[in-house]
Amino acid sequence: MKTWARVACAAAIAMSAASATWAADKGKNWTPPPGKLYAQALSDQLMKEHPELISVTFHGVPPGMDKVYTMFAGSFPERIGNADDTDDIDVITKGITIVDPRWNRKDPVRKFVMMMPLRDAGGGHIGLLVLAYKNPPGANKSETEYFVAASQLRDSLQPKIRSYAELFQQVQ
């Protein structure tokens, strides 16, 4: 009986240590290559051209990986490589659009988030584009207005993306 208790105790300690390590690493599931990716250049350009945005992020599975859904470019570089949430994965795998007015949220800045399928120049569904819009008190923009603006912005990217792999190419 003592042997069984020791084995159970050792297993519990090992599992606890493994869980702690997993929890520490859970946030990142991918490390980008050095340099700037084309997707990052697109994100930077959108942020420069659209002062109404708080953030722009690109999500998907990096080339050579399988079912590793991650943010691979965006306006918060420290978040690149963060694992995607289930709603991000739903947009990527199902092609749905999520209109999120962020009601009753404790966001530090009021925002309206659009999560939309990203498409390449050929019309292929290649990932997820997340656009967070400033939504100051009194803005009174409707969900439809945010949806139309986000759709137009997303569609303006389409001819600039020849393929999904191109988003991961290095630029100067």
Side-chain angles (χ1 to χ4, degrees):
M1 190 62 114
K2 289 182 182 178
T3 303
W4 181 87
R6 285 187 198 137
V7 169
C9 185
I13 290 169
M15 286 179 65
S16 176
S19 293
T21 300
W22 178 80
D25 295 339
K26 182 176 134 182
K28 300 282 184 190
N29 63 359
W30 178 71
T31 302
K36 185 184 252 189
L37 301 181
Y38 180 57
Q40 186 61 49
L42 290 174
S43 175
D44 294 347
Q45 179 183 1
L46 288 176
M47 288 301 295
K48 183 179 177 183
E49 294 174 355
H50 294 275
E52 72 276 15
L53 292 171
I54 295 171
S55 65
V56 174
T57 58
F58 289 78
H59 301 250
V61 177
M65 302 185 94
D66 184 39
K67 297 184 181 175
V68 177
Y69 299 97
T70 193
M71 185 183 114
F72 58 85
S75 47
F76 294 101
E78 69 278 5
R79 296 182 188 169
I80 292 173
N82 281 0
D84 280 341
D85 295 327
T86 53
D87 53 352
D88 300 321
I89 296 168
D90 280 345
V91 174
I92 294 166
T93 60
K94 298 175 183 174
I96 63 173
T97 295
I98 296 176
V99 178
D100 183 0
R102 309 291 292 172
W103 291 329
N104 301 316
R105 303 282 179 94
K106 304 259 187 272
D107 294 329
V109 175
R110 284 190 59 204
K111 61 186 170 184
F112 196 104
V113 178
M114 293 296 307
M115 303 171 69
M116 311 183 85
L118 182 63
R119 298 188 178 101
D120 63 18
H125 174 72
I126 59 170
L128 160 67
L129 177 68
V130 179
L131 303 169
Y133 286 87
K134 295 173 185 171
N135 187 16
N140 297 326
K141 283 183 79 172
S142 69
E143 291 177 0
T144 302
E145 289 173 290
Y146 283 109
F147 176 80
V148 168
S151 296
Q152 290 172 342
L153 200 153
R154 186 264 325 261
D155 293 350
S156 75
L157 284 176
Q158 190 171 340
K160 298 176 183 179
I161 304 170
R162 292 187 301 254
S163 70
Y164 185 66
E166 179 183 38
L167 293 172
F168 292 87
Q169 291 179 355
Q170 302 237 343
V171 296
Q172 298 179 18

